[in-house]
Amino acid sequence: MNYFLEVYGRLPRAGPGSDELTRQAFKTLPLLPDIPRILDVGCGPGMQTVELLRNCSGSVLALDVLPEMIDRTIAEAERAGVSDRLETVVQDMKKMTFPGSSFDVIWSEGAIYNLGFETGLKAFKNLVKPGGYVAVSEAVWLKPNPPVGAVEFWEDYPEIDTIAAKLEVVKRVGYEPLSYFVFPKSAWTEQYYDPMEKRIAECERKWRGISDAEAVFSEARNEISLFRKHSDYFSYAFFTMRKPKQIG
């Protein structure tokens, strides 16, 4: 049994976020086509996928490497009555095979870290149409001199940086920055850490004494504890940007 998926894969969201934040970011994209084609990279269980479908008349192609996440996305879209405009593909985001300039919008909530921020933005730039948009959420430092515990937590993702540094990457890759905003603490707790704690409690009763399962529980609890102690120092931020119509 994959105990990690049994805990993390059953949560409402695959990471911090909320429908409100998805809507807030989507509203910063001006002059969209009437029927935009959107690629959701690393869709997870599909909450933001469905929210995008609710907020436009276009289609969304949801991509995830895990078939379980695609199944959940389809089910969420069916419940919301928007599945007729949903496409899905099980694919590794590191091996995307779409033709260039295929999408009006590329969306990625809490998943671009799998590619790396700069590498991911370069890959997305090839796939989005000239004049099209990219929206991503990304880990950022909020204050200087973060404590050792926070630094150690993020050491597996060395690209975490300040918002100013992220905006410099956006411009260096060749986008026009549109907007950014920081996630509130509630975006980490309401649909991610609070459900995670409940899921751990449920699973512990079934898997007590199984070392692999208890290692997952311990890691998850440590992550939650660290956030509660040091959330003033880091969060996610949403960045929206536009690919210029004329590429130099």
Side-chain angles (χ1 to χ4, degrees):
M1 182 177 291
N2 187 326
Y3 297 106
F4 181 89
L5 274 182
E6 285 295 316
V7 174
Y8 287 83
R10 301 294 185 92
L11 304 179
R13 303 187 71 94
S18 70
D19 288 347
E20 292 78 11
L21 295 177
T22 298
R23 289 195 298 271
Q24 183 178 342
F26 192 71
K27 288 177 181 178
T28 70
L29 310 183
L31 303 175
L32 279 170
D34 291 338
I35 305 177
R37 188 171 188 227
I38 303 171
L39 173 65
D40 185 4
V41 180
C43 66
M47 288 194 74
Q48 76 289 335
T49 314
V50 170
E51 194 61 25
L52 290 170
L53 288 165
R54 287 194 186 109
N55 281 269
C56 75
S57 299
S59 63
V60 177
L61 174 54
L63 177 151
D64 204 281
V65 72
L66 296 174
E68 298 91 340
M69 295 297 101
I70 294 297
D71 289 344
R72 287 189 61 188
T73 298
I74 293 170
E76 289 294 331
E78 289 175 347
R79 276 192 287 270
V82 294
S83 60
D84 59 317
R85 293 182 287 117
L86 173 69
E87 306 169 58
T88 60
V89 60
V90 177
Q91 190 174 97
D92 187 338
M93 67 177 70
K94 296 178 181 177
K95 300 176 182 178
M96 292 187 290
T97 57
F98 310 110
S101 300
S102 292
F103 301 96
D104 299 294
V105 179
I106 296 183
W107 201 271
S108 188
E109 293 197 28
I112 196 173
Y113 74 88
N114 290 291
L115 297 170
F117 189 66
E118 184 162 355
T119 297
L121 291 185
K122 289 178 179 177
F124 296 169
K125 190 179 175 189
N126 291 330
L127 300 179
V128 72
K129 297 176 183 178
Y133 303 98
V134 170
V136 300
S137 61
E138 167 72 340
V140 294
W141 294 122
L142 302 178
K143 294 167 63 174
N145 304 313
V148 172
V151 173
E152 289 178 346
F153 176 73
W154 288 103
E155 64 186 2
D156 288 338
Y157 186 60
E159 288 193 55
I160 185 173
D161 212 331
T162 63
I163 288 174
K166 294 294 181 182
L167 291 172
E168 286 302 312
V169 173
V170 169
K171 290 184 281 188
R172 183 167 68 242
V173 173
Y175 291 99
E176 301 167 356
L178 292 178
S179 72
Y180 67 87
F181 56 86
V182 176
F183 284 20
K185 294 179 182 180
S186 60
W188 292 74
T189 56
E190 291 179 0
Q191 293 180 333
Y192 191 50
Y193 285 149
D194 291 350
M196 188 184 297
E197 287 186 310
K198 292 179 181 178
R199 181 64 182 158
I200 291 170
E202 293 170 0
C203 293
E204 272 189 322
R205 291 192 290 269
K206 297 184 291 182
W207 302 329
R208 192 177 304 278
I210 300 174
S211 59
D212 288 348
E214 290 182 347
V216 172
F217 302 153
S218 177
E219 181 178 349
R221 285 199 174 103
N222 287 339
E223 179 179 337
I224 296 167
S225 175
L226 183 134
F227 174 78
R228 287 175 174 159
K229 289 179 182 176
H230 303 310
S231 58
D232 289 343
Y233 285 89
F234 66 87
S235 189
Y236 271 72
F238 236 124
F239 296 89
T240 61
M241 61 204 77
R242 187 176 190 179
K243 178 179 175 178
K245 289 186 177 180
Q246 299 296 327
I247 306 300

